[in-house]
Amino acid sequence: MNIIPLGERMEFIEELAALHHSEWGHLNPSLTLEKRIGKLASLAGGRSIPSIFIATSGNELIGSAALVLEDMQSRPDLSPWLAAVYVKEKYRSQGVASALVAKCEYEAKRSKVDTLYLYTEFASKLYERLGWRSLEPCMYRDVSVNIMYKEI
């Protein structure tokens, strides 16, 4: 498995956008697939914030994770965010998400970030195992989520 900036393998952008749209489209119905591709392209360039990393195995995309300045419009006081952590189902429970999160934490630390934030619907246990702590449960766009943080 390799973890690289999306910008190094732009041939995966449409597939990644479709995966993200399928997973999180309910959180922002106005974000069309085309707009999602544009948003990913804006993150694809580098290793600082904002940026997006992908996990690949040979010529297959297997997952992603991003660093963004804003991820919850209702919490502009929190920044930056770990976002878009996604692993294809057949690769789950194999350490891919942990490696992607570790890569983002490393890049955030290189960018002099002290604390990262994320929100999740279902993966709080995973992030707790990786050292993240719950900040608060809340409703975001009519969905129950848990805001978490990690001092890095």
Side-chain angles (χ1 to χ4, degrees):
M1 175 181 67
N2 291 313
I3 297 177
I4 57 174
L6 173 61
E8 293 182 17
R9 298 290 304 265
M10 289 299 284
E11 68 268 25
F12 290 127
I13 195 167
E14 289 182 10
E15 178 185 3
L16 185 60
L19 292 168
H20 286 188
H21 194 71
S22 176
E23 187 76 10
W24 299 300
H26 66 287
L27 288 170
N28 192 352
S30 67
L31 187 59
T32 65
L33 185 57
E34 292 75 25
K35 288 180 183 176
R36 197 174 292 273
I37 291 170
K39 189 172 181 180
L40 288 173
S42 73
L43 300 174
R47 297 178 179 267
S48 60
I49 301 169
S51 58
I52 187 163
F53 301 92
I54 57 170
T56 62
S57 180
N59 286 322
E60 185 175 4
L61 171 70
I62 59 177
S64 70
L67 291 168
V68 298
L69 293 173
E70 179 187 304
D71 202 27
M72 284 184 92
Q73 292 174 341
S74 59
R75 292 304 305 264
D77 56 312
L78 304 178
S79 183
W81 294 78
L82 173 67
V85 178
Y86 178 85
V87 176
K88 286 183 175 176
E89 194 167 337
K90 72 179 183 177
Y91 291 100
R92 292 180 185 167
S93 300
Q94 297 178 35
V96 177
S98 298
L100 284 160
V101 170
K103 174 65 172 171
C104 286
E105 290 173 357
Y106 171 79
E107 295 298 337
K109 190 170 188 165
R110 279 184 0 119
S111 295
K112 309 282 191 260
V113 170
D114 296 322
T115 305
L116 269 177
Y117 299 91
L118 65 81
Y119 72 89
T120 182
E121 286 180 75
F122 309 111
S124 293
K125 297 275 188 230
L126 164 69
Y127 294 112
E128 287 171 358
R129 284 195 306 271
L130 299 176
W132 290 72
R133 299 179 62 186
S134 180
L135 181 66
E136 66 183 28
C138 67
M139 293 299 290
Y140 183 59
R141 296 183 172 165
D142 297 322
V143 176
S144 178
V145 300
N146 186 22
I147 300 175
M148 303 183 79
Y149 71 97
K150 184 173 185 180
E151 294 175 359
I152 53 174

